[in-house]
Amino acid sequence: MDKKLIHRRSVIVESFETGSGLVIEGRLQDERFFPSYYYTRESFVDPGVIHGMRVRLQVSMPDMTIRTAEAEIGEVPLPECREIRESVGLLAGTPIRKGFSGKVRGMFGGKKGCLHIMNLILVMGSAAMQGFWAYYSRVRKDDRVRKPAFDESLLVDSCWLWRSDGPLWEKFRKAQNIPDALPRKHIITIDGPAGAGKSTIAREVARRLSYRYLDTGALYRALAYKALRKGISGEEGLASLCRETRIEVRLDQDKTSVFVDGEDVTGRIRTPEIGMAASEISALPVVREALLSVQRDIAKEGGIVAEGRDMGTVVFPEADFKFFLDASPEERGRRRFLELREKDPEIEAEGVLRDLEKRDIQDRKRKIAPLKPPKGAIIVDSTGLSVEDVVGNVIKAIDK
Ligand code: DC
């Protein structure tokens, strides 16, 4: 094949051991091999480097935490591109382990971010891990291999081989005495009143178990959103709304995205009005019936942490683990107020508490699928407990 080199992107990442940890140095360079017009500079320029940057991370071991992060951004199409350099310093304190890639994407992938530096740092993250393994698995002078205490979370969102769904996992697990992971198929339910912390706990439990997270309140909210938008109320109106509405979800470990007739409404349904409307329509049998099959269908593969009001009682009575999460009304009101204030600084605590109490009564007193602790559920009162404490209790109960 006749080919001519016109552009080269080089990404080189090197890991050095320093005695106290690792230094990871990365370079990214884009080079053109012919004179050309640069749209970003609005001029013709000679062949040469268009992007040239270096990043240096000092990483402590064995915790693999970035101690310092610095960037040199030499060649860039526009001087403004250099602004991103300061942000690189914000990586200090970040552990390079599970979730690292997501964090880097969040920091550098946004509107004011930089794809080049993001790509470079992502490569550096997994290269740092290779450096880590290279350090620990190296045969040293005394002919011995040093083994780190294996920590699964160090397998940065990277190589499937070693992950708990990969082919080497079982061997590794045995060698390292890691307790057997849960079979993937379990259904874990978390029920409880508004503001009890269900979402936070369910998300974290899902993350730790590599399960999917299902927020069933989001389904009721999504339907309420459409009902409010169309001005529909009453049983008949809602019955036809249910018939003609397509509700779909996409589940991740920390997020349930909901789509109403193909429209992503995830970001629009977390308002007090929609919460109240969801509570009202959720008392109607026709609504519950419509969403029952949606929920069961989503969970049929298992490997899910589902939170709501009737998970363990009605939707998944056969769930493998059931929890009922509660907290005092004051504590729940305070949490919900802090959550809503993030979006609306004007919101008043009293109104939030009033709404919560009203929803509590509606959710607990309704005839069909009322909120109550499911049979066999472990009841956790989270008043005064930290997220870590509650998650710890839940995981401990599952492990047992
Ligand atoms: O959890 P949430 O605040 O997003 O739920 C909104 C309303 O939806 C709640 O007040 C009652 C209803 N709901 C329900 O009836 N059953 C569920 N499994 C989840 C929510």
Side-chain angles (χ1 to χ4, degrees), residues 212-224:
R212 295 169 302 147
Y213 159 62
L214 171 62
D215 164 12
T216 57
L219 303 175
Y220 289 90
R221 284 173 182 263
L223 211 52

Side-chain angles (χ1 to χ4, degrees), residues 216 220-221 270 279 282 288 309-310 359 363 366:
T216 57
Y220 289 90
R221 284 173 182 263
R270 308 239 70 96
S279 173
S282 71
R288 302 210 74 82
R309 304 291 187 290
D310 59 345
R359 267 174 65 189
D363 295 349
R366 67 184 178 215

Side-chain angles (χ1 to χ4, degrees), residues 319-382:
D320 305 272
F321 301 97
K322 299 180 189 180
F323 296 90
F324 189 83
L325 194 59
D326 210 346
S328 69
E330 298 72 35
E331 172 91 11
R332 294 192 286 114
R334 193 182 62 85
R335 288 181 194 159
R336 194 38 66 91
F337 168 65
L338 294 177
E339 181 192 325
L340 291 171
R341 200 179 52 179
E342 296 260 301
K343 281 199 207 121
D344 174 7
E346 309 279 284
I347 202 153
E348 287 181 8
E350 262 171 48
V352 173
L353 195 59
R354 224 180 309 119
D355 269 13
L356 199 90
E357 282 167 354
K358 187 168 172 209
R359 267 174 65 189
D360 265 9
I361 297 172
Q362 277 173 189
D363 295 349
R364 289 181 202 264
K365 294 263 157 84
R366 67 184 178 215
K367 285 209 182 72
I368 165 167
L371 168 67
K372 62 175 181 196
K375 240 193 232 151
I378 296 172
I379 297 178
V380 183
D381 185 338
S382 70

